[in-house]
Amino acid sequence: MSTNIDSLQHETRRFAPSSEFSANAVATAEIYGRAASDPEEFWANQSRELLQWEKPFTRTLDWDNAPFAKWFSDGRLNVAYNCLDRHVDAGHGDRVAFHWEGEPGDSRTLTYADLTAEVKKAANVLTSLGIRSGDRVAIYLPMIPEAVISMLAVARIGAVHSVIFGGFSADSIRSRVDDANARLVITADGGWRKGKVSPLKPTVDDALAKEGDHSVQNVLVVRRGENAIEWTEGRDRWWHEEMATAETEHTAEAFDAEHPLFILYTSGTTGKPKGILHTSGGYLTQTAFTHKNVFDLKAETDVFWCTADVGWITGHSYVVYGPLANGATQVLYEGTPDAPHPGRWWEVIEKYKVSIFYTAPTAIRSFMKTGRSVPDGFDLSSIRLLGSVGEPINPEAWIWYRDVIGAGTAPIVDTWWQTETGAIMVSALPGITTAKPGSAQVAMPGITVDVLTDGGAPVGNGSGGLLVVTKPWPSMLRGIWGDPERFIETYWDKFDQPGATNRRMYFAGDGARLDEDGDIWLLGRVDDVMNVSGHRLSTAEIESSLVSHPIVAEAAVVGAHDDTTGQAVVAFVILRADQEDAQTPEEANGILRSHVSEQIGAIARPRQIFVVSELPKTRSGKIMRRLLRDVAEGREVGDTTTLADTSVMQIISDKLHGTT
Ligand code: PRX
């Protein structure tokens, strides 16, 4: 667990919402009581109120085959229709859906009418390329409007998207394409990042050129970077050419509530990423509900900006589905926060008068480091609410965020959730909750969580343990693509209680503590998953990448504390005997850092690689990462008595400190 419990326990600052904010808030306190008295009925009402069902559902939850849940199962709806046409039909066609800003400063405005028209054409393009309901489409795009248009077009025809973050490597693309048997890849020539064009289509070409057959029939290419690319005749198509000749009308067909909507790969405790499956009606209900209530959305006047890339779950739920289902006006930004200058984000907020801003603690901490003079140079007075997601936010960063970005008055919602949960599960509600810096605080209305001991007993207030969700929820994952066993083992077996009414509980993989008021403080992952800049990485995946390099004999990876990124990847490697003299540790470091970058993506590149001659193992051969973490964080090494060879840690520290 990464966060220091003691320092959090001493956090006593409290921030009650202003009476003005509370008086105008979307959510009022009675919502908790209503939800608690009958959670299923509560979600059914939310779903009816927030969405338009072509065929209304009569059954809310089917948990008979737990942990495989069905929500609203006899209802039918079209997700894209709910995000688009219905707002146009309701007279909001002229409302801006996206103020898009490219990194070099170009921009585009898309109203709901524009976005609907684009998605209809794109849906026709997909159909003309032979994509049918249930087919999988991989999307590897920068943050340009076509990313959102593609996702919605896929959803509109009942196909299933698998968005792959634009920073991932050819290998990562290929393994995702193969796992889901994707028939089509939608990409761009390149996108703008840190002042230059970063190529994308060439990476897709490499992915598809790798050994073995693949399922991809076409690659649809958006022109964005204008970089030179190669072309495979018959397979590759330009987006703009297909769109220019596409039919403009498209009627959205309704699909079952449990029709698959998307697969999103995320790191787990093994080397192979898991394809998290989400379906339609429940997912859209909870993303819309949370977006509206957590962010206090006034769709007519607010400008919402979630800085996440659509390649992550936050981008799926709070750039695409939640906000669009609610008819919100948003900012979509292509580049990095500091290009072409360190105040780029604040300039965007000033330009579009962003009123609700949602970002990750890593970004906040890196702005803190640069200092408040940068944001102070911009007019941020439009901001009225701030959100945080992806990792624990330390109280100091929380206070800085409120003071400097939120003018000392904006409420902050610290939202805990996961790729698997699909939508926010734990968060303050801004007009109701008295905020505590560093705590995610309370379960959303309609959601029940608890903190348990390893043996499954509730820890009670004032103690720490493992976070669980005790009842099924509408936007929960429906499975791991192609691997029902792994789904059960990973999330549901740990706290299976035969005979209990809530027999299956969802194990989130996070440690948490309940304070004296019962508020939740997240303490980080308890498994071999790291959280670097709010991105999930698996120690096993990086270890297997390291050992795939010919100079490496063995590798162990840990997430070490990092002041800016929360955690950083630190690797310990043993080189093959014939390599020990062939490379200096610096050379090995360079070779292996680029190897991991090529194999997985730059986000997985270790911050440090230590070349060692031994790794600490228990008698059963399990690597004791705890001890390596002590070394990586420069601490006194902890208890070594369970090591097979207790002198190993001494050998490692001697080697690292140059005494041998
Ligand atoms: O450890 C928790 C952390 O991020 C993990 C989920 O990562 P991912 O599926 O990539 O989704 C990130 C965005 C929803 C969790 O298991 N996490 C997420 N939000 C918070 C958090 N940790 C503390 N506080 C949060 N608000």
Side-chain angles (χ1 to χ4, degrees):
M1 297 186 195
S2 61
T3 311
N4 183 332
I5 306 179
D6 288 339
S7 72
L8 289 178
Q9 272 173 330
H10 299 131
E11 178 52 60
T12 52
R13 288 167 284 192
R14 300 289 178 267
F15 298 87
S18 71
S19 49
E20 194 198 339
F21 197 105
S22 298
N24 297 309
V26 169
T28 49
E30 50 78 41
I31 196 173
Y32 287 106
R34 237 184 326 127
S37 67
D38 189 344
E40 286 182 37
E41 188 54 23
F42 171 79
W43 285 118
N45 288 336
Q46 291 302 332
S47 191
R48 291 186 191 107
E49 202 176 291
L50 293 164
L51 307 183
Q52 193 168 321
W53 289 82
E54 203 218 50
K55 175 173 178 273
F57 55 88
T58 60
R59 181 145 201 211
T60 302
L61 169 65
D62 176 352
W63 191 231
D64 294 348
N65 186 29
F68 297 93
K70 288 185 184 159
W71 281 86
F72 316 125
S73 57
D74 59 345
R76 287 171 73 81
L77 82 172
N78 184 289
V79 168
Y81 174 85
N82 270 278
C83 293
L84 301 165
D85 316 52
R86 94 175 144 122
H87 304 310
V88 178
D89 295 348
H92 305 309
D94 291 340
R95 185 184 295 165
V96 173
F98 286 107
H99 294 288
W100 174 75
E101 181 85 8
E103 194 188 78
D106 50 341
S107 61
R108 255 170 93 184
T109 305
L110 285 109
T111 63
Y112 273 91
D114 298 334
L115 193 63
T116 306
E118 291 293 296
V119 171
K120 285 181 174 178
K121 277 194 289 176
N124 288 323
V125 169
L126 296 180
T127 309
S128 74
L129 293 175
I131 304 301
R132 300 285 174 263
S133 159
D135 286 346
R136 273 80 60 204
V137 175
I139 298 177
Y140 186 68
L141 282 171
M143 285 289 279
I144 54 177
E146 286 76 7
V148 180
I149 295 166
S150 300
M151 290 165 74
L152 291 170
V154 169
R156 191 173 182 95
I157 64 170
V160 182
H161 56 71
S162 161
V163 182
I164 304 169
F165 172 60
F168 278 127
S169 65
D171 277 327
S172 300
I173 298 175
R174 181 59 187 268
S175 66
R176 285 158 173 76
V177 160
D178 285 350
D179 189 69
N181 276 311
R183 292 187 62 176
L184 172 72
V185 180
I186 308 179
T187 188
D189 47 1
W192 284 88
R193 244 189 103 71
K194 293 190 195 289
K196 55 181 201 290
V197 171
S198 135
L200 293 167
K201 164 77 161 56
T203 313
V204 172
D205 289 341
D206 288 351
L208 299 182
K210 287 185 188 292
E211 214 175 294
D213 292 339
H214 61 73
S215 46
V216 173
Q217 291 165 352
N218 290 106
V219 177
L220 194 54
V221 188
V222 179
R223 185 143 73 197
R224 166 64 186 152
E226 315 224 335
N227 45 315
I229 54 172
E230 286 177 12
W231 205 252
T232 304
E233 282 307 328
R235 186 195 73 181
D236 299 348
R237 310 277 179 110
W238 279 114
W239 169 278
H240 60 269
E241 287 177 2
E242 300 293 320
M243 289 288 275
T245 55
E247 284 286 330
T248 52
E249 266 322 305
H250 184 275
T251 307
E253 180 195 336
F255 297 96
D256 287 345
E258 285 296 342
H259 191 79
L261 179 61
F262 65 85
I263 306 168
L264 184 60
Y265 287 83
T266 189
S267 298
T269 50
T270 71
K272 188 174 178 285
K274 311 176 271 199
I276 302 298
L277 175 69
H278 283 286
T279 60
S280 305
Y283 173 79
L284 200 62
T285 299
Q286 197 175 328
T287 51
F289 169 77
T290 50
H291 179 255
K292 186 169 172 185
N293 288 277
V294 173
F295 297 108
D296 191 48
L297 181 79
K298 316 280 174 15
E300 303 76 29
T301 49
D302 275 317
V303 178
F304 178 74
W305 184 17
C306 165
T307 63
D309 191 285
V310 293
W312 308 112
I313 191 67
T314 310
H316 281 61
S317 301
Y318 299 104
V319 174
V320 182
Y321 293 108
L324 294 178
N326 290 333
T329 295
Q330 297 185 78
V331 164
L332 187 71
Y333 175 59
E334 180 186 30
T336 46
D338 49 359
H341 60 80
R344 189 72 171 110
W345 273 10
W346 319 124
E347 183 181 61
V348 169
I349 290 178
E350 179 180 287
K351 178 169 176 187
Y352 296 110
K353 301 196 166 38
V354 170
S355 54
I356 309 168
F357 183 60
Y358 189 32
T359 195
T362 290
I364 300 164
R365 287 191 293 263
S366 74
F367 292 128
M368 272 174 87
K369 258 212 248 168
T370 328
R372 69 175 294 159
S373 61
V374 178
D376 280 351
F378 296 87
D379 178 4
L380 306 181
S381 60
S382 53
I383 287 184
R384 65 180 194 89
L385 177 61
L386 297 168
S388 173
V389 61
E391 37 177 333
I393 178 164
N394 47 312
E396 292 331 305
W398 196 102
I399 297 286
W400 188 92
Y401 195 29
R402 181 177 160 105
D403 281 350
V404 178
I405 309 304
T409 52
I412 296 182
V413 285
D414 174 8
T415 62
W416 176 87
W417 58 294
Q418 308 176 299
T419 306
E420 291 87 341
T421 69
I424 295 169
M425 302 292 280
V426 176
S427 170
L429 287 181
I432 305 172
T433 321
T434 292
K436 297 177 180 174
S439 169
Q441 300 198 285
V442 282
M444 291 300 294
I447 299 295
T448 41
V449 301
D450 206 347
V451 179
L452 306 182
T453 63
D454 209 45
V459 297
N461 291 358
S463 298
L466 304 170
L467 185 66
V468 294
V469 186
T470 58
K471 289 195 180 116
W473 64 101
S475 64
M476 65 196 280
L477 76 166
R478 299 303 197 262
I480 294 178
W481 186 258
D483 203 345
E485 280 311 309
R486 189 175 178 195
F487 170 64
I488 297 172
E489 275 163 27
T490 312
Y491 306 107
W492 304 97
D493 271 354
K494 186 163 176 67
F495 296 114
D496 185 11
Q497 302 187 319
T501 13
N502 269 327
R503 101 153 259 221
R504 295 280 198 176
M505 284 193 270
Y506 171 84
F507 170 54
D510 275 297
R513 182 179 172 274
L514 294 176
D515 68 15
E516 298 304 335
D517 305 322
D519 280 332
I520 298 163
W521 298 73
L522 273 310
L523 303 172
R525 302 286 310 190
V526 294
D527 51 14
D528 292 333
V529 171
M530 296 169 287
N531 190 329
V532 178
S533 304
H535 298 146
R536 250 162 92 165
L537 295 170
S538 140
T539 50
E541 195 180 356
I542 300 175
E543 283 165 6
S544 88
S545 165
L546 287 167
V547 295
S548 75
H549 195 281
I551 66 171
V552 176
E554 260 192 274
V557 165
V558 297
H561 174 78
D562 185 284
D563 279 344
T564 305
T565 59
Q567 283 187 304
V569 180
V570 175
F572 294 81
V573 297
I574 303 178
L575 298 183
R576 283 180 194 248
D578 58 348
Q579 293 292 330
E580 276 183 10
D581 299 324
Q583 332 276 343
T584 65
E586 291 70 37
E587 282 163 352
N589 213 300
I591 295 170
L592 295 175
R593 289 180 77 228
S594 17
H595 174 71
V596 172
S597 215
E598 269 161 38
Q599 282 218 319
I600 306 176
I603 47 165
R605 183 170 49 213
R607 180 186 73 184
Q608 280 162 303
I609 298 178
F610 294 115
V611 177
V612 293
S613 49
E614 303 274 351
L615 287 172
K617 290 187 184 153
T618 59
R619 277 166 217 112
S620 59
K622 197 171 162 350
I623 292 174
M624 291 191 70
R625 288 201 180 73
R626 172 172 63 77
L627 300 177
L628 293 174
R629 212 173 293 127
D630 288 342
V631 174
E633 293 176 349
R635 258 196 314 273
E636 184 91 1
V637 172
D639 182 5
T640 56
T641 46
T642 52
L643 281 179
D645 173 357
T646 48
S647 64
V648 164
M649 288 317 294
Q650 193 56 47
I651 298 172
I652 293 177
S653 20
D654 288 350
K655 175 141 188 178
L656 298 182
H657 300 115
T659 44
T660 54

